[in-house]
Amino acid sequence: MSVRIGIIDDHPAFVLGLSAILNAQHDLQVVAAASTARALVGERMRLDLVLLDIALSDGSSPASNLERLAALKAPVLVLAGKDLDRAPLVQQAMAAGALGAIARSESAERIVEAARRGAQGAVVLGRPNGQLLASAYLDPENFLLSERETEVLRLYAGGQTADLVAAALFISRDTVNDHIRRIRAKYAAAGRPAPTKVDLFKRAVEDGLV
């Protein structure tokens, strides 16, 4: 089955070009596009991946857009400008739960690769921001777990089941599992893999969360 992709960008020509690149792949399909996060969520479509422009003209912040897109339960990659190393919005998006960022000017091959990896839940650190974001992941003081991910990790690693975490935080079990998947992906990107619950407990202890 093809990966179902939604695009949020307010530049129609860019959306057309990006859609053509992705739809040319046998395993990728753009099924929705909108100029705002609110509009995409309003289409009520099942998506496997969302590509989000980092700076929309409606003035919305990455954090507010990521919060709104959480309803879709799909991984989010942000599309940013070429100069990612000096883009604080990229860091904000990562902290809010985005799986990574890639420059809008990247080659078609790299954008396709990023889409495939993002749909699988892998952290995507595109060029030229890869070194910057990787260093942020590796620095315990700047480890980019969102506030909600931190809450989930603290409870889950502390011994609670996904059902109990969901009840405690008033969210669904599926949402808890989505957060755990993203937490594991971020730890893996930082060179601190945590494939099991015991490993997550160790990481939480190391980071002072438990």
Side-chain angles (χ1 to χ4, degrees), residues 110-157:
R110 287 190 175 275
I111 290 176
V112 167
E113 178 188 5
R116 286 175 175 147
R117 294 188 64 228
Q120 295 171 355
V123 172
V124 176
L125 304 176
R127 300 183 307 174
N129 67 318
Q131 184 175 358
L132 172 73
L133 292 180
S135 66
Y137 273 121
L138 292 170
D139 183 350
E141 293 184 358
N142 295 315
F143 189 73
L144 297 179
L145 289 183
S146 69
E147 182 177 351
R148 177 62 86 185
E149 287 168 344
T150 300
E151 292 174 335
V152 169
L153 178 58
R154 181 178 289 113
L155 294 172
Y156 185 74

Side-chain angles (χ1 to χ4, degrees), residues 75 94 97-100 117-118 120-125 137 143-145 149 177-195 200:
M94 296 288 285
L99 279 182
R117 294 188 64 228
Q120 295 171 355
V123 172
V124 176
L125 304 176
Y137 273 121
F143 189 73
L144 297 179
L145 289 183
E149 287 168 344
N177 287 330
D178 284 341
H179 283 306
I180 293 171
R181 172 176 53 80
R182 292 174 183 171
I183 291 166
R184 285 195 167 111
K186 289 183 177 184
Y187 273 119
R192 303 166 64 199
L200 280 177

